[in-house]
Amino acid sequence: MASSGIRRFHGLIGGKANMPAELPPQAERATLTPVPDEHAKDRENPFDGLPSVQGVIEQSRAPEEQAKEGRPKSPEGTDSRLTPQSLPSSAYPPSDADAHSQMAMGEPAPRGFSFSPFLPVTRFCYKFVGPQWSQPLATAFFDANKIYNRSWDVYYIWSDHYHTGRPTTFVPEHQLQALIDEINEAFPEAHVSLTEELREDGLVVDLDSLPDELRPLSLGRTSSRDQYDLLISTIPYPSQPTSTMPNERSLQAFKDMIDTMVELGKAKSKAKKKANQQVAVQRRQEMSKQVSRAQRYLGLLPQKKSELLSDMTNLTVSPLDLNSPATQPFEQDVIIIAVDVEAYERSPKTITEVGIATLDSRDLHSEVPGPNGENWFKHIRGRHFRVAEYKNLRNHEFVEGCPDKFRAEFGTSEFVPKDDLPSMLTSCFHQPFSKRNATHTDSTAEEKRTIVLLGHDINQDITYLHSIGFSVLNRSNLAEVLDTATMFKSYTRDNNAASLGKVLYHFDIDGWNLHNAGNDAVYTMQAMLAIAVKAAAEIGSDEAERRVGEVVSQTPLLTIPLDTVADLITRDRQLEKRTADAVELAKQKVEDEAEGWSLHGDEEDGYGATPLTEEEELESKQNANKKPVFGPPRPGLYTMGGVLLDV
């Protein structure tokens, strides 16, 4: 039967030759199918066939090891310390053993744990790490929301006992420490740690001492920025304070803690803001000192501190009597020289006009200044030099020049060849200092007078003069440089620069034919006199306070759009609080901007006095012989072409 069946099969396939090749013995055994046992499944170990624990660990490490082997080497010359040795592929997974993960939303934080304010934690690499490591750590752990892509147990405080603009969030200290451990593992040489200084600054806080009504509440666990923002949006607005009020001491400690958290989370720290404010104050004080120094040169202010100590019964300076001559000594009997330069608008290196105005302080002795110093204006000597080669050039595109309109009461324009202009300017800085109807010969012994240079936004004029070979700063008898633009800022308590025309308008001085170099030099001298005299006449009056009030009234308190304000009005409690906060912030800003302008009480400038100590007396004597240096850095003694500069 078997053989006949095989013959039939051969017939069906077309003969024995079409039979498939025989399999090797081992293959035949491999293809054998075991006889199924109905009871085998019951006897099978359920863990058989699963990989071992060590196998799982090795398998999880395989991608990391492959990444290490395939990681490109650091380019030659780069600091290998700035490359992390290894970065975590994910954050710590939530653990049911973690007590924080079992807390329901709104439940008070457990005691016995320290916490860290979350906002400073998200900026840890920028605020608490040195600049060498700041960016590498940011790239590896913080930027692109990496800092949020971890498991954080978030708690919050938003209490009506002390309202803030938004909730203050916290995370457990041990989770911050876990982050720091990972940072140190990836960057061993960074040596990041929670120092005692950081703890004292408020990066780690112990909240156990807070009463129950002030304790932080659980918000939940997050592992992404979206989850965090969603949880924050669910926090209810602070309700009315509970009937149980904390005692005053606990409430004050709570407020101090919240203030510390808020400041710590700001991108610009309070210390940095204070430092910037101090720099601004010092800058304003320097501006104000220009006014007081000009007043001393003009006999409007005592020269030194000791002048106020002669009579201890009167330690203040009286306002200037405009109808009486200046009562104080004219410090150093200076020669004040104002300069102004006009250049051709299409070629700024082409100097077309130079104006010089000179005022000898000796001419003002026993002379009544009058309102805004107008009686002193007649002693100003004006000069207007026009470069002969450029007499046909006239500005008209950006400003309307008027080189041919030098005011007759100031003087007469003088045409000077370009090459002779430096020597003509040099003569203005020597006797007779542009004095009319006066001559000076080489045989006459020249008195070395102290010179004060003056200008309106003068740095550009100094640069122009140097470009034609006249270095106005290389003078041994130059005391300092004054700038009417700076002086006017001090007088008006305004940080914004004002044009010369605006300064003249403020003091009701006729400013005809501006942008003529000769006119502008004279106007600059008149502006300086007006500022110095008017400020001296207003000492102790309400006028200075009125100017400060104008600054306050012009400062916007709120920058919220009107439609937004209309919407906020319906939320009365929030609006009142937020408006009060905004007004307080604006007031503080105005006070900060006003600080430093007034020099009342500044002994150095004669507005107040106290007896000098021995150290101050010694320092004063040592500084007496030092020559002050003002203005931009002084150039060399020769031009690029080798032309000797005037000195």
Side-chain angles (χ1 to χ4, degrees):
M1 293 290 293
S3 60
S4 62
I6 292 176
R7 283 196 300 270
R8 246 186 318 215
F9 177 73
H10 288 168
L12 290 174
I13 64 175
K16 186 176 181 180
N18 293 328
M19 287 287 291
E22 295 185 1
L23 294 175
Q26 61 271 22
E28 290 179 357
R29 290 194 297 268
T31 57
L32 293 177
T33 304
V35 178
D37 186 352
E38 297 179 355
H39 303 286
K41 187 176 295 186
D42 296 336
R43 298 194 302 269
E44 186 177 345
N45 188 340
F47 296 99
D48 287 347
L50 294 178
S52 65
V53 175
Q54 184 64 27
V56 172
I57 295 176
E58 292 176 356
Q59 185 179 3
S60 64
R61 289 182 176 175
E64 182 179 342
E65 295 299 328
Q66 293 174 4
K68 288 183 178 180
E69 294 175 0
R71 181 181 299 147
K73 295 182 179 180
S74 299
E76 188 173 339
T78 59
D79 191 348
S80 61
R81 297 174 305 164
L82 301 183
T83 303
Q85 293 184 355
S86 63
L87 295 178
S89 58
S90 62
Y92 289 148
S95 172
D96 291 339
D98 192 339
H100 299 278
S101 66
Q102 305 296 328
M103 301 196 64
M105 182 177 179
E107 186 176 345
R111 298 184 183 273
F113 292 92
S114 296
F115 293 86
S116 295
F118 188 50
L119 190 55
V121 168
T122 62
R123 298 171 179 172
F124 184 89
C125 64
Y126 293 111
K127 294 181 66 69
F128 309 113
V129 176
Q132 178 187 8
W133 296 103
S134 179
Q135 190 54 54
L137 299 190
T139 302
F141 290 93
F142 291 86
D143 289 351
N145 287 330
K146 291 187 182 74
I147 188 61
Y148 291 92
N149 298 336
R150 305 174 55 86
S151 291
W152 295 108
D153 291 301
V154 184
Y155 297 81
Y156 75 93
I157 290 178
W158 204 15
S159 172
D160 212 44
H161 289 294
Y162 184 49
H163 181 73
T164 54
R166 58 182 179 180
T168 303
T169 54
F170 301 84
V171 293
E173 177 195 356
H174 70 268
Q175 293 184 352
L176 171 58
Q177 186 61 55
L179 170 64
I180 293 176
D181 291 343
E182 293 183 23
I183 290 175
N184 287 324
E185 181 180 356
F187 297 88
E189 297 187 28
H191 301 296
V192 179
S193 63
L194 284 174
T195 63
E196 288 301 321
E197 182 179 1
L198 292 180
R199 294 176 182 274
E200 292 175 0
D201 288 343
L203 189 58
V204 177
V205 291
D206 183 359
L207 305 177
D208 285 355
S209 60
L210 293 179
D212 292 339
E213 57 270 19
L214 298 178
R215 290 188 59 74
L217 305 177
S218 174
L219 187 57
R221 171 165 287 184
T222 72
S223 57
S224 70
R225 180 61 185 266
D226 291 340
Q227 289 181 2
Y228 176 79
D229 291 340
L230 179 61
L231 287 178
I232 291 296
S233 67
T234 63
I235 299 177
Y237 191 80
S239 59
Q240 292 286 350
T242 59
S243 56
T244 305
M245 290 292 294
N247 60 58
E248 185 175 350
R249 183 174 181 179
S250 297
L251 185 58
Q252 186 58 48
F254 173 76
K255 293 179 179 180
D256 293 342
M257 182 199 71
I258 295 298
D259 289 342
T260 301
M261 301 298 100
V262 172
E263 288 297 333
L264 200 62
K266 290 182 179 178
K268 181 183 290 186
S269 66
K270 189 175 183 179
K272 185 175 182 180
K273 179 180 178 181
K274 184 177 180 181
N276 292 341
Q277 174 65 16
Q278 186 62 31
V279 170
V281 169
Q282 292 174 354
R283 188 184 303 116
R284 294 166 192 159
Q285 289 177 341
E286 288 301 319
M287 293 181 187
S288 297
K289 287 178 181 178
Q290 283 205 31
V291 177
S292 62
R293 288 196 296 267
Q295 290 173 329
R296 289 202 299 268
Y297 294 136
L298 300 172
L300 305 176
L301 203 64
Q303 295 184 33
K304 299 180 183 300
K305 304 173 186 179
S306 56
E307 299 292 335
L308 291 176
L309 299 177
S310 58
D311 184 6
M312 295 300 293
T313 61
N314 182 18
L315 298 181
T316 60
V317 178
S318 301
L320 174 68
D321 184 358
L322 299 177
N323 298 316
S324 300
T327 58
Q328 302 295 337
F330 288 70
E331 186 172 307
Q332 302 183 60
D333 276 341
V334 299
I335 297 283
I336 305 175
I337 302 179
V339 297
D340 185 80
V341 180
E342 294 293 326
Y344 187 50
E345 58 194 1
R346 294 186 178 179
S347 177
K349 293 184 179 180
T350 302
I351 307 302
T352 58
E353 306 171 60
V354 178
I356 299 289
T358 306
L359 178 65
D360 189 342
S361 61
R362 290 178 179 174
D363 294 339
L364 307 182
H365 295 186
S366 304
E367 179 80 34
V368 175
N372 296 333
E374 293 175 359
N375 293 347
W376 288 351
F377 289 2
K378 61 187 178 184
H379 296 291
I380 300 173
R381 311 163 194 166
R383 304 283 295 273
H384 180 222
F385 300 108
R386 296 184 62 183
V387 179
E389 292 86 340
Y390 306 133
K391 62 181 179 181
N392 293 325
L393 299 181
R394 184 189 186 100
N395 293 330
H396 62 87
E397 294 182 5
F398 304 109
V399 296
E400 190 63 35
C402 49
D404 55 344
K405 294 184 179 180
F406 184 48
R407 295 180 63 171
E409 60 267 37
F410 296 160
T412 304
S413 297
E414 305 169 53
F415 288 90
V416 180
K418 178 177 62 175
D419 295 338
D420 295 343
L421 185 58
S423 60
M424 290 297 297
L425 295 176
T426 298
S427 67
C428 297
F429 284 76
H430 294 276
Q431 288 184 348
F433 297 104
S434 303
K435 192 171 185 178
R436 300 183 181 94
N437 303 322
T439 59
H440 177 72
T441 62
D442 294 338
S443 59
T444 305
E446 179 177 353
E447 179 185 3
K448 194 170 185 178
R449 299 287 300 277
T450 300
I451 294 176
V452 172
L453 187 65
L454 177 68
H456 190 85
D457 195 11
I458 193 172
N459 286 341
Q460 185 176 24
D461 295 313
I462 292 174
T463 302
Y464 280 147
L465 293 176
H466 180 251
S467 70
I468 62 174
F470 178 68
S471 180
V472 69
L473 297 179
N474 281 338
R475 303 183 176 280
S476 60
N477 59 335
L478 178 64
E480 69 170 304
V481 178
L482 297 178
D483 194 322
T484 49
T486 299
M487 295 173 64
F488 189 69
K489 285 182 182 180
S490 171
Y491 176 77
T492 59
R493 271 70 166 172
D494 190 350
N495 285 306
N496 298 317
S499 65
L500 179 59
K502 183 177 180 180
V503 176
L504 298 176
Y505 178 81
H506 180 90
F507 293 105
D508 199 21
I509 298 174
D510 293 334
W512 299 106
N513 299 319
L514 288 165
H515 301 296
N516 174 291
N519 293 340
D520 287 357
V522 175
Y523 291 147
T524 299
M525 187 72 73
Q526 293 178 351
M528 184 274 296
L529 293 176
I531 294 171
V533 171
K534 191 71 179 296
E538 293 173 355
I539 292 177
S541 69
D542 296 335
E543 183 64 20
E545 297 301 326
R546 182 189 64 79
R547 291 199 304 273
V548 175
E550 289 179 352
V551 174
V552 174
S553 64
Q554 294 170 5
T555 302
L557 296 181
L558 290 173
T559 57
I560 304 175
L562 292 178
D563 54 347
T564 304
V565 173
D567 293 338
L568 291 177
I569 290 177
T570 60
R571 303 169 62 182
D572 49 1
R573 287 194 66 258
Q574 291 179 292
L575 179 65
E576 292 176 5
K577 179 60 181 177
R578 293 179 182 179
T579 303
D581 290 343
V583 171
E584 185 63 29
L585 181 63
K587 288 173 60 180
Q588 183 62 45
K589 180 179 179 181
V590 171
E591 291 174 2
D592 289 345
E593 292 180 350
E595 185 179 3
W597 289 119
S598 176
L599 285 176
H600 290 273
D602 189 327
E603 300 172 14
E604 180 180 352
D605 289 276
Y607 285 108
T610 56
L612 300 179
T613 64
E614 294 181 2
E615 292 78 3
E616 290 175 332
E617 288 285 359
L618 178 60
E619 180 183 359
S620 177
K621 293 179 181 179
Q622 291 174 344
N623 293 333
N625 297 324
K626 292 183 179 179
K627 174 178 171 58
V629 179
F630 302 92
R634 300 188 178 189
L637 299 179
Y638 293 87
T639 64
M640 294 293 291
V643 179
L644 179 66
L645 292 176
D646 174 69
V647 295

